[in-house]
Amino acid sequence: MDIGSFQAEEFGELQRLVDGLYAGRQTVDRLDMVVQGEILDLSSDLMEIINLLPPGVYERKRLCDQLNSALAAHGWGGMYGTVE
């Protein structure tokens, strides 16, 4: 099996997290993302990605760009999915 095509059991969880956080909101604070990730008991890999976010308040596009950059840097985009 090609490791590049492997999808983790957690595939799409970051997308669901982003969708939930932005429901009815224009911006999200990094701390909100970290706390919600912990509440949802996300895997250590996904929490590593979230914890790489610099502190601040994010509009959705900027947050997704940051998360996708971290996923790409780790080579995890195909495994966990990217966010939009």
Side-chain angles (χ1 to χ4, degrees):
M1 178 166 114
D2 177 17
I3 190 75
S5 67
F6 173 76
Q7 284 188 355
E9 188 175 316
E10 298 90 354
F11 185 88
E13 285 190 10
L14 276 181
Q15 182 67 59
R16 286 187 286 281
L17 174 60
V18 168
D19 289 345
L21 285 170
Y22 281 97
R25 300 169 71 181
Q26 295 297 313
T27 60
V28 168
D29 187 274
R30 176 196 179 269
L31 185 57
D32 294 335
M33 184 96 178
V34 171
V35 169
Q36 192 62 32
E38 290 173 352
I39 289 170
L40 295 173
D41 197 27
L42 294 183
S43 70
S44 59
D45 285 351
L46 295 180
M47 287 307 299
E48 181 177 337
I49 296 298
I50 292 169
N51 284 313
L52 288 172
L53 287 170
V57 176
Y58 292 87
E59 290 183 355
R60 187 175 182 130
K61 182 180 180 344
R62 183 168 165 249
L63 178 81
C64 291
D65 288 347
Q66 290 280 333
L67 292 172
N68 289 335
S69 291
L71 286 163
H74 283 74
W76 291 345
M79 187 163 46
Y80 294 115
T82 56
V83 292
E84 53 185 53

